[in-house]
Amino acid sequence: MTDAYSGVLIFAEQNRGKIHPVSYELLNKGKLLGEDLNAELKVIILGPEGMDVDELIYRGADEVYYIKDESFSEPNLIDFKDNLEYYIEEKIKPEIVLMGATSFGRSLAPRLAIALEAGLTADCTDLKIDRSDSRLVQIRPAFSENILAHIKTTSEMQMATVRYREFAEADRDVSNTGEIIEEKSKLRDDSGLKVLDRLADQEVNIAEEEFVVAGGRGLKNPGDFSLLKELADLLGGEVGASRDVVDQDFISKHHQVGYSGHRVKPVIYIACGISGAPQHLAGMKEADTIIAINNDPSAPIFEHCDYGIVGDLYEVVPALIDLLEDQMTRK
Amino acid sequence: MNILVFVKEVPDMEKVKFDRERGVIDRGSAEAQINPFDLNALQAAVDIKNEVGGEITAMCMGPSGAEDSLKEAIARGADEGILLTDRAFAGADTWATSFILARAARKLANFDLILCGEMSVDGDTAQVGPQTAEFLGIPHVAFVWEIDICDKNSLEVRTDLWNSTYVKEMELPGLLSVTKDINNPQLPSLQDKMSARKAEIEKWGLEDFADQGIDEDDVGLSGSLTRVKNIEVPPKTGRDSQIWEDEVEIGLAKITDLMREKRRI
């Protein structure tokens, strides 16, 4: 190993000038890795003018590269790749590059890794430094989360995408100091890609909800989601769904929780009429508290919940709503 | 429009048994099949062909038995199948996989569009599509759920990012990875299955890439930039479940208490 590459670099993702929270989660982990390596923690952010990049310093960055261009308000993926390639290779030369495993990160990181000739591990849930050789150990679930693979990279630069909401955000401390280096973007004339339009934001963002009331095959009709919606509204949460009912068009895919849907990490997850297939569990098993309502006592969900009610959801959910409303009026 | 579709052969993840002792999947416990997301890519190719014509080539890297998956791809509408198979290709990570796929695409030369599934259900990385595009120096859009053909030089596609849907225009040649929302793959007819069984699958091994200066250090495990060092089988994370079957009222009271504790009511 030469000394040319050193330090930990975080790619801070932003959406129309707003920093994505996964960036702060990466800063938290990156700080620990940097301490183990006795190396600096750097951030690169590509965004429009006028972003509050001081926030990245408050969250622990020693150095922030802020590459400014109005075009970065849109996800022009190849422009992002070109600029990251240039600044990482020519200016920053980090030994570790971390990106969020969001849809954007999972599309951008693979291209960038080829351009940088760096090995890349997808969707890591933990990272640590092997003290024997100061190399990064990248830990990711594999085979439907049955195993955790520990992966090391043989190229000098080591890259990983990290699952969103896996780590806590870095603490904010406004007394932190660091350097902000502002640079201009380098854009090519024709990348072969154009963003034509952004359609209206979706109303549902199930991954961010703190209370999720989810329905599965136990629901008889699409309209019965209104029952779950009533409970979700009482709790200030949102309705989720298993794949079965999404495939049957009971509800839109934006509500789908599971391996092929969204991963959620709410304070309380209420599974109503959901049997608990491994593919569904993969999306909600990190919830703080899991409550299961199912009329089949042998349903696997009862082995993965904190509280379980064996009963017909059409009786149990209204009873629960009554109890909650009762509490509220008494208060 | 000439379309190249990447397919991967994977175990049926719904049925495959997992050997927790040894930390490996028991491949004998489930049949191999085409990666489910790749069926959406194949269907998307068939839909485009029906609209504007062209040829569909299905390409797979895998053991010689993966020939069957390419025959199924032909039954589902591909015009021909190419299997990249060689002992030297084994153990490839996404770098080495996309490297050889890109070289094979270049060897094929005659394509306007590459389609692949958003990810494989056994690898779950979603990296091979974008990485192949970068190796080829062509644009890509990942996680696409709608494709509209503008003209013979470009496509208009829809993809979800953050909390919005984006409409992007991609020039051809280019690569798209598609989600399961793009279409419902049609089952092949018995007749199509029968005739596909007789199809000749072209096989390319390492020596077919000698003219591109590729040797065994470039491919498979030795061409990979990542190594699995260790497999950890996480302890089963059961929860201390409290289940109420007869005294449902007690359970509901407990749950109501919990909700009050979480300060929502």
Side-chain angles (χ1 to χ4, degrees):
Chain A
M1 291 296 129
T2 63
D3 296 330
Y5 291 85
S6 74
V8 178
L9 178 71
I10 307 292
F11 167 69
E13 189 172 314
Q14 56 81 24
N15 173 15
R16 286 178 291 147
K18 189 167 175 287
I19 296 171
H20 191 286
V22 74
S23 312
Y24 304 133
E25 299 170 9
L26 293 174
L27 273 159
N28 188 12
K29 195 66 190 181
K31 187 94 191 158
L32 299 172
L33 299 174
E35 282 165 10
D36 280 354
L37 289 166
N38 206 8
E40 283 200 314
L41 178 61
K42 300 175 186 182
V43 172
I44 186 165
I45 184 159
L46 282 59
E49 297 270 351
M51 284 189 62
D52 180 20
V53 293
D54 287 340
E55 186 64 25
L56 296 163
I57 302 282
Y58 301 156
R59 302 291 189 131
D62 297 309
E63 209 170 82
V64 176
Y65 280 80
Y66 176 20
I67 320 300
K68 290 193 279 192
D69 198 290
E70 285 313 306
S71 77
F72 293 142
S73 293
E74 306 279 5
N76 291 297
L77 191 112
I78 296 189
D79 294 337
F80 275 79
K81 190 270 297 178
D82 285 347
N83 277 277
L84 286 170
E85 179 185 355
Y86 173 78
Y87 284 103
I88 290 173
E89 207 155 66
E90 302 296 326
K91 307 274 181 184
I92 309 172
K93 297 181 188 295
E95 59 197 296
I96 294 171
V97 179
L98 304 180
M99 302 172 78
T102 58
S103 297
F104 186 65
R106 290 186 83 177
S107 183
L108 173 61
R111 273 205 96 113
L112 181 63
I114 299 300
L116 294 170
E117 294 182 34
L120 171 66
T121 303
D123 209 22
C124 296
T125 54
D126 203 5
L127 300 164
K128 60 185 183 189
I129 301 296
D130 181 344
R131 288 181 194 273
S132 69
D133 59 4
S134 298
R135 299 285 288 176
L136 183 68
V137 180
Q138 302 144 59
I139 300 167
R140 73 180 299 259
F143 295 124
S144 305
E145 322 237 334
N146 271 301
I147 56 167
L148 289 172
H150 291 226
I151 295 168
K152 278 168 112 174
T153 307
T154 55
S155 56
E156 196 166 356
M157 198 184 291
Q158 308 157 89
M159 279 183 71
T161 61
V162 177
R163 194 175 283 184
Y164 177 35
R165 297 185 73 127
E166 197 62 36
F167 304 126
E169 288 186 9
D171 290 335
R172 185 173 196 267
D173 182 350
V174 292
S175 68
N176 283 347
T177 56
E179 192 184 354
I180 293 172
I181 300 152
E182 300 192 3
E183 299 272 6
K184 285 205 178 70
S185 72
K186 304 189 178 301
L187 300 179
R188 60 169 113 168
D189 293 337
D190 184 17
S191 65
L193 266 189
K194 252 188 290 195
V195 177
L196 300 178
D197 200 7
R198 186 180 66 84
L199 306 181
D201 282 347
Q202 291 142 16
E203 286 161 23
V204 185
N205 190 5
I206 195 88
E208 311 270 348
E209 291 291 342
E210 296 208 314
F211 293 83
V212 175
V213 184
R217 223 180 299 195
L219 286 171
K220 296 184 184 111
N221 302 296
D224 298 343
F225 263 107
S226 62
L227 183 61
L228 305 189
K229 179 82 180 133
E230 195 181 339
L231 178 55
D233 286 346
L234 269 179
L235 295 166
E238 187 48 82
V239 169
S242 72
R243 180 172 171 176
D244 301 299
V245 285
V246 172
D247 283 353
Q248 290 178 58
D249 288 331
F250 274 31
I251 195 164
S252 88
K253 69 187 167 84
H254 302 303
H255 295 267
Q256 189 181 333
V257 173
Y259 178 73
S260 51
H262 298 275
R263 290 195 176 95
V264 299
K265 229 175 165 176
V267 176
I268 297 181
Y269 188 88
I270 309 177
C272 308
I274 292 177
S275 64
Q279 288 73 13
H280 186 76
L281 296 173
M284 44 64 87
K285 64 175 192 236
E286 306 275 326
D288 292 350
T289 302
I290 297 171
I291 298 168
I293 300 167
N294 201 302
N295 57 12
D296 176 6
S298 66
I301 191 78
F302 287 122
E303 289 162 38
H304 299 273
C305 68
D306 301 282
Y307 303 106
I309 305 280
V310 179
D312 183 349
L313 77 91
Y314 289 93
E315 289 165 18
V316 177
V317 174
L320 187 55
I321 291 171
D322 283 349
L323 275 170
L324 290 173
E325 280 178 338
D326 203 35
Q327 289 243 4
M328 288 161 111
T329 45
R330 240 190 286 161
K331 196 162 51 178
Chain B
M1 187 174 300
N2 292 325
I3 306 170
L4 180 57
V5 183
F6 291 155
V7 296
K8 185 182 185 187
E9 194 175 88
V10 299
D12 181 346
M13 297 302 280
E14 306 273 338
K15 294 198 185 115
V16 73
K17 297 265 187 334
F18 192 79
D19 184 343
R20 293 181 65 88
E21 302 276 299
R22 290 162 56 223
V24 294
I25 58 168
D26 173 8
R27 290 198 183 258
S29 65
E31 277 182 40
Q33 59 176 26
I34 295 181
N35 175 44
F37 294 109
D38 300 347
L39 297 180
N40 296 99
L42 265 170
Q43 185 64 49
V46 169
D47 293 344
I48 293 171
K49 181 182 167 175
N50 287 342
E51 199 177 329
V52 297
E55 293 274 304
I56 301 170
T57 305
M59 185 178 276
C60 174
M61 183 179 81
S64 58
E67 198 178 23
D68 293 344
S69 286
L70 285 170
K71 286 184 176 174
E72 195 194 330
I74 288 172
R76 287 173 177 269
D79 296 289
E80 59 176 326
I82 300 173
L83 179 63
L84 310 180
T85 188
D86 197 302
R87 223 171 262 274
F89 296 158
D93 72 350
T94 65
W95 171 284
T97 303
S98 53
F99 173 78
I100 199 68
L101 287 173
R103 290 308 184 102
R106 197 178 289 171
K107 190 176 166 69
L108 190 70
N110 182 29
F111 67 88
D112 304 297
L113 175 65
I114 300 178
L115 291 174
C116 56
E118 64 168 292
M119 61 181 166
S120 65
V121 292
D122 62 343
D124 198 13
T125 72
Q127 289 181 176
V128 167
Q131 289 190 310
T132 306
E134 178 67 15
F135 269 126
L136 288 166
I138 59 174
H140 89 273
V141 183
F143 311 116
V144 168
W145 55 266
E146 194 173 295
I147 304 173
D148 289 308
I149 299 161
C150 306
D151 53 55
K152 63 182 185 9
N153 300 315
S154 65
L155 300 175
E156 195 178 296
V157 301
R158 287 173 191 228
T159 180
D160 290 347
L161 282 177
W162 303 296
N163 228 11
S164 310
T165 294
Y166 279 87
V167 185
K168 291 187 173 189
E169 185 182 313
M170 182 181 77
E171 283 174 23
L172 299 175
L175 180 147
L176 301 175
S177 81
V178 302
T179 72
K180 68 173 178 66
D181 298 311
I182 194 163
N183 53 37
N184 293 309
Q186 302 294 303
L187 284 169
S189 70
L190 191 61
Q191 196 181 353
D192 289 338
K193 271 185 166 170
M194 298 292 278
S195 56
R197 214 175 282 172
K198 292 178 218 128
E200 280 293 314
I201 302 298
E202 206 169 323
K203 290 183 182 169
W204 293 353
L206 185 60
E207 73 277 3
D208 293 298
F209 293 91
D211 57 340
Q212 296 191 39
I214 295 167
D215 63 32
E216 51 186 50
D217 291 341
D218 301 318
V219 297
L221 185 62
S222 37
S224 296
L225 296 184
T226 55
R227 294 271 191 285
V228 177
K229 290 290 172 186
N230 184 23
I231 296 288
E232 182 190 335
V233 180
K236 277 209 164 169
T237 50
R239 292 178 183 237
D240 288 334
S241 309
Q242 289 185 58
I243 313 287
W244 293 274
E245 194 162 353
D246 300 318
E247 297 160 310
V248 167
E249 300 73 25
I250 299 174
L252 286 178
K254 184 111 183 175
I255 290 167
T256 317
D257 285 348
L258 172 84
M259 288 172 177
R260 189 179 44 203
E261 194 185 307
K262 300 294 175 188
R263 295 206 183 87
R264 280 289 166 140
I265 61 167

